[in-house]
Amino acid sequence: MLPPILPFFNKKTILRARMKTERRAAANARPDAARHAAQKFVAHISYANDDVIALYCPIRDELSTEPLIDALAESAVTLALPVIVEKKAPLIFRAFAPGDALIDGAYGAQTPNENAAEVTPTIVLAPLLAFTRRGDRLGYGGGYYDR
């Protein structure tokens, strides 16, 4: 008798596949979600004009950050985007402003070019597939935001 196949699969791999499907359905059901999320951020997250707020350029069905970028551009905060310098290394963050030219980075994400200033964020908005009630984040498995 052959052993069951399921134990040979990583549980996180299975969960990631399920969450990608659910996120796609949620994105289709609520095309205005990014605008609502931006409003909630501005209304409920305390930030100062000298803060550096790191966002992300969405890939796949990730929530758009454009409405939040537009809302934060009216303040004096510095905006930043993550840059993958090499696999298995920590992310770095580079400053950008709306309208700046971005380049293709790892995994299809848009990033500032190498001439943009490297900054240290005080607030980081991380993309995700899912999260637990405790706030644990499930990403794509690269560990970049964990480092």
Side-chain angles (χ1 to χ4, degrees):
M1 183 162 146
L2 293 173
I5 294 173
L6 193 57
F8 293 102
F9 288 98
N10 179 308
K11 288 180 184 179
K12 280 191 176 180
T13 301
I14 295 167
L15 184 58
R16 282 186 182 98
R18 179 176 159 214
M19 292 298 100
K20 285 178 186 177
T21 300
E22 290 196 23
R23 185 180 66 189
R24 188 176 310 109
N28 290 334
R30 290 294 308 267
D32 60 341
R35 184 175 50 82
H36 288 287
Q39 291 170 346
K40 293 289 186 188
F41 182 94
V42 171
H44 299 288
I45 303 297
S46 297
Y47 59 91
N49 284 337
D50 61 346
D51 279 337
V52 176
I53 300 178
L55 302 125
Y56 59 89
C57 281
I59 57 174
R60 302 180 188 113
D61 295 311
E62 290 173 346
L63 189 67
S64 173
T65 55
E66 280 188 46
L68 183 55
I69 290 169
D70 292 343
L72 294 173
E74 298 172 9
S75 68
V77 300
T78 299
L79 300 175
L81 290 172
V83 177
I84 297 173
V85 178
E86 63 181 88
K87 286 188 174 196
K88 309 257 186 217
L91 292 171
I92 65 167
F93 294 87
R94 294 192 187 278
F96 85 102
D100 284 359
L102 300 175
I103 61 172
D104 291 334
Y107 304 104
Q110 296 287 290
T111 65
N113 67 42
E114 61 277 352
N115 296 325
E118 189 173 332
V119 295
T120 302
T122 50
I123 298 173
V124 176
L125 277 76
L128 54 80
L129 284 171
F131 60 92
T132 67
R133 293 181 197 275
R134 293 185 338 192
D136 299 321
R137 176 185 164 275
L138 178 67
Y140 295 113
Y144 293 104
Y145 282 91
D146 301 324
R147 287 183 200 94

